[in-house]
Amino acid sequence: MFNKNLYFLLGGLLFAGSMNAQTPRIVLQGSGAPQVFTDFASAVAAAADNDKLYLSGGTFPYTGGLVIDKPLHFIGAGIIPDSSQTTSVTTLNGVDVNEPLQITTSASGSTFTGIRFTRTQWDGSSNTTSVIFGTSNANDAPTDVVFQRCWFQRHLVLGRAGSATVNTNTIIDECVLLGVLSGENHTATVTRSILANGFNQISVVSFFAGGLTVENCVVLGTIQNTYGATIRNSFIRTNGGYATYGCANCVLENNITPNATIASSAPGAVLTNNIENADLNSIFISETNGYYEVTDDLRMAPGSPGLAFSTDGTDLGIHGTSSPYKSGGVPYNPHFRSATIAPATNPDGALPVNIRVAAQTN
């Protein structure tokens, strides 16, 4: 992340001074003139194929199981409060108990970055889905959808129950998922992400008969029924005796688990260079309770067996690879991180303003 301190004169600074007080807005940018919306559903309805929608910080509620049925690109202000102090995080909140946000086949190629997906818990259940593919089995296979630096407060379901096996190639990168990731016979690649339904939950990833790759992730919960999956360079913790279950023909390589068994009921599985029965206290700088909090520090601790343990020689988990996880969780485009504005002009007639701008790149 890079930062710049800027000093501006009075002219043009009213915008910066009022950022926190403004109603959350969406700027729609496409082939025509930019349009500004305060309502998420209205912005989606007005967008044409492959338009970009820039969402400010703040919460955008939507009702009625909103459907995205065209390829669109959504860019939020970030998902971690510490890195979005000026704008606040961007949240899409479904307030309808019946259906979550729905992405259909005709929305193939859509991208989402820097956004939190939540739903109001009308029924008091922790099992509510945040995002689902399709309104039915007839349109639940969008291909090449990308979620990057997004936060899912509840489940992400990549199809409807009983879906046909289809290679949909969903990309989930540098995301936080606090519910279940369910494949419904579709495919996904999950990299540098935190999958944390909770270590005492039966499942955090399931039903990927179509294919799944999990690389350099932290998984708090069981991976199960992921036939033919490739799972490598990751940490997996559950409260049972095994880290994965029912993963027939899976490849598990260079993973670490405190559990006694890396794979249970996994005929045909290929197990290479995994560490079982790892000491929990030796892995991370800070993660002790099996649940994810933003205060957790998931870098490898000094002396951790995960140091340089990945197949590419980098550290195990989200901070490995040549492009490690960015802890701030903000999108690539520059954003305001903090703004300090003097209450009055100085003797020269200038208004002292300190704007801290940040951006994260690969």
Side-chain angles (χ1 to χ4, degrees):
M1 179 178 289
F2 66 85
N3 301 290
K4 293 182 179 179
N5 292 327
L6 308 177
Y7 185 87
F8 294 100
L9 296 177
L10 177 60
L13 266 299
L14 294 178
F15 163 74
S18 59
M19 282 187 294
N20 281 329
Q22 290 182 346
T23 301
R25 285 175 168 79
I26 302 168
V27 176
L28 171 61
Q29 186 176 35
S31 56
Q35 302 177 64
V36 179
F37 298 86
T38 58
D39 179 70
F40 179 62
S42 298
V44 171
D49 288 6
N50 290 307
D51 280 358
K52 294 180 179 179
L53 295 93
Y54 295 92
L55 289 75
S56 71
T59 298
F60 298 89
Y62 60 89
T63 59
L66 183 65
V67 176
I68 297 175
D69 58 3
K70 50 196 164 188
L72 297 172
H73 306 284
F74 299 87
I75 302 99
I79 60 173
I80 306 296
D82 284 354
S83 296
S84 304
Q85 293 175 355
T86 301
T87 61
S88 77
V89 300
T90 298
T91 301
L92 293 178
N93 182 48
V95 295
D96 189 287
V97 67
N98 296 313
E99 289 289 354
L101 185 66
Q102 300 167 88
I103 303 172
T104 67
T105 301
S106 55
S108 293
S110 292
T111 62
F112 303 81
T113 181
I115 298 171
R116 283 194 179 208
F117 297 90
T118 66
R119 279 186 70 191
T120 302
Q121 286 181 284
W122 290 94
D123 59 358
S125 170
S126 62
N127 295 324
T128 309
T129 296
S130 297
V131 177
I132 193 168
F133 282 4
T135 61
S136 69
N137 289 137
N139 62 8
D140 71 342
T143 59
D144 302 311
V145 174
V146 176
F147 297 103
Q148 193 162 54
R149 298 178 186 172
C150 288
W151 180 298
F152 298 86
Q153 193 65 30
R154 300 183 178 94
H155 303 336
L156 171 59
V157 182
L158 306 183
R160 294 284 174 166
S163 298
T165 302
V166 178
N167 183 9
T168 52
N169 192 36
T170 301
I171 302 297
I172 300 168
D173 182 53
E174 293 192 75
C175 290
V176 177
L177 295 92
L178 298 186
V180 171
L181 173 63
S182 180
E184 298 300 339
N185 295 329
H186 294 160
T187 65
T189 297
V190 188
T191 52
R192 300 172 297 178
S193 291
I194 300 163
L195 309 169
N197 194 30
F199 78 107
N200 65 342
Q201 299 297 315
I202 294 175
S203 174
V204 67
V205 180
S206 62
F207 303 119
F208 277 91
L212 171 71
T213 298
V214 174
E215 272 194 297
N216 287 92
C217 290
V218 172
V219 183
L220 302 176
T222 305
I223 300 176
Q224 65 180 32
N225 300 328
T226 54
Y227 311 114
T230 297
I231 305 164
R232 61 166 64 99
N233 305 333
S234 297
F235 172 86
I236 309 170
R237 177 187 179 186
T238 74
N239 70 345
Y242 48 81
T244 68
Y245 180 85
C247 296
N249 300 318
C250 288
V251 174
L252 289 97
E253 184 177 16
N254 286 55
N255 302 291
I256 292 179
T257 180
N259 297 93
T261 303
I262 191 72
S264 177
S265 297
V270 178
L271 311 180
T272 305
N273 200 30
N274 299 287
I275 297 176
E276 301 169 328
N277 290 310
D279 177 10
L280 273 175
N281 297 321
S282 71
I283 308 298
F284 301 110
I285 290 178
S286 175
E287 199 301 298
T288 58
N289 64 1
Y291 298 91
Y292 175 67
E293 296 97 6
V294 294
T295 53
D296 287 345
D297 189 337
L298 299 179
R299 294 173 295 168
M300 295 295 101
S304 170
L307 290 168
F309 187 70
S310 289
T311 52
D312 64 357
T314 64
D315 289 352
L316 175 108
I318 60 174
H319 293 285
T321 80
S322 60
S323 179
Y325 176 88
K326 310 299 187 298
S327 297
V330 298
Y332 295 133
N333 55 303
H335 65 289
F336 292 99
R337 184 165 185 177
S338 63
T340 303
I341 303 172
T345 58
N346 61 24
D348 296 326
L351 180 67
V353 175
N354 188 286
I355 302 291
R356 192 179 184 191
V357 178
Q360 291 188 331
T361 66
N362 282 331

